[in-house]
Amino acid sequence: MKRLLFPGALVALIILCAIAAPLFGLPDPIRQDIAQRLAGPTASSWLGRDEFGRDVLSRLIWGARTSLGVAFASALTAGIVGVLLGLIGGWSRGTAAFLSVRSMDIILCFPPVLLALLVVTLLGPGAATLILVLSVLYLPGFARVTYSEVLSVRGRDYVEATRALGAPTWYILLRTVLPNIAGPVLVQLSLAVAAAVVLESGLSFLGLGVVPPAPSWGLMIRGARTTMEQAPLLLVWPCAALTLTILAMNLLCDALRDAVDPRTAGR
């Protein structure tokens, strides 16, 4: 559990900064000031100004709200739907398993980025479209993990004891089975959030994600390309924020996996 402290605290700090962005008194992240275009760091603008004179620090912190908001919303949506499908399929098996879990193989046949590009191109860019696309992409992972875990615990003594007491199926699944498979599901959730941050930034970089002038790390990286020779730090800041966030989430994923793995949990 000690391995969870550092990555957990780092991820919590990043999320807290994103949530508390309105309390920091930062400049408007979309307000342009062409007179200060590409200005360097000052006392009022610690990281300088971008190609449109917008405050870089403000856009970094508000961009975290956008990137993390889309990532968590899509991962939670995929998690809720995928866990329900996996519970139903693993418990009922047969036709229910085929319809709820095996049908997820259709989504897995498509490359994630290609499927995301297709849907966003058809529906148009925007945060709502991104959440829908990412939810569909990460749905099979939750369904398959939950399905396999339900198959491994459905015959355990505590499940049979609850069933023998006459508990209804929904009670067995939600109150007996689900708490005992929560570990792998949480690991899958952390993996989905980390992957969603990367994919959201990539789609925003391509112009198929968050719509300008809303702040987003992918949009900041895209905008900094044109002024890379004049102001290279404009490219460094969003890349550093994205790298730090992904590194912290990956460390948290590894720590969660070790914590719930019975082969390593006792070390």
Side-chain angles (χ1 to χ4, degrees):
M1 296 301 292
K2 292 183 179 179
R3 290 190 58 190
L4 287 170
L5 293 179
F6 174 71
L10 189 55
V11 171
L13 179 61
I14 295 172
I15 295 174
L16 183 61
C17 288
I19 294 175
L23 305 177
F24 291 152
L26 298 170
D28 189 344
I30 64 175
R31 182 178 178 273
Q32 301 182 9
D33 188 356
I34 303 300
Q36 299 190 50
R37 180 177 182 270
L38 301 181
T42 62
S44 59
S45 181
W46 292 359
L47 300 183
R49 302 274 178 162
D50 67 0
E51 68 275 12
F52 293 108
R54 298 170 297 192
D55 187 79
V56 175
L57 178 60
S58 178
R59 290 184 63 80
L60 270 180
I61 296 179
W62 282 93
R65 285 173 64 92
T66 303
S67 299
L68 295 178
V70 169
F72 276 100
S74 58
L76 287 174
T77 302
I80 293 172
V81 178
V83 167
L84 289 177
L85 292 176
L87 286 173
I88 295 173
W91 185 261
S92 302
R93 294 188 292 186
T95 304
F98 177 80
L99 294 176
S100 61
V101 179
R102 299 305 177 188
S103 59
M104 296 293 103
D105 294 340
I106 299 174
I107 300 176
L108 294 174
C109 292
F110 295 92
V113 177
L114 180 61
L115 182 59
L117 288 173
L118 175 63
V119 176
V120 172
T121 303
L122 293 176
L123 299 181
T129 305
L130 275 180
I131 292 174
L132 174 63
V133 171
L134 296 178
S135 298
V136 173
L137 286 176
Y138 300 123
L139 179 61
F142 285 98
R144 292 165 70 92
V145 168
T146 306
Y147 175 76
S148 62
E149 292 297 322
V150 172
L151 289 181
S152 65
V153 304
R154 69 189 311 271
R156 299 286 177 85
D157 293 340
Y158 55 85
V159 176
E160 294 295 335
T162 307
R163 181 188 297 179
L165 292 174
T169 301
W170 67 266
Y171 182 91
I172 298 174
L173 290 177
L174 298 181
R175 298 297 299 273
T176 304
V177 175
L178 184 58
N180 287 280
I181 65 171
V185 173
L186 287 177
V187 174
Q188 181 65 26
L189 179 64
S190 61
L191 290 171
V193 171
V197 171
V198 176
L199 193 52
E200 182 276 329
S201 299
L203 291 174
S204 296
F205 175 81
L206 296 175
L208 298 173
V210 178
V211 179
S216 169
W217 291 340
L219 286 177
M220 293 180 68
I221 296 173
R222 181 187 181 188
R225 291 185 309 156
T226 58
T227 59
M228 187 167 52
E229 295 182 357
Q230 299 169 276
L233 287 179
L234 292 181
L235 187 62
V236 171
W237 301 127
C239 290
L242 184 60
T243 302
L244 177 63
T245 302
I246 298 304
L247 178 60
M249 288 186 174
N250 285 338
L251 291 175
L252 181 61
C253 293
D254 292 339
L256 280 174
R257 181 198 59 199
D258 293 340
V260 302
D261 190 344
R263 294 171 296 180
T264 59
R267 294 181 183 176

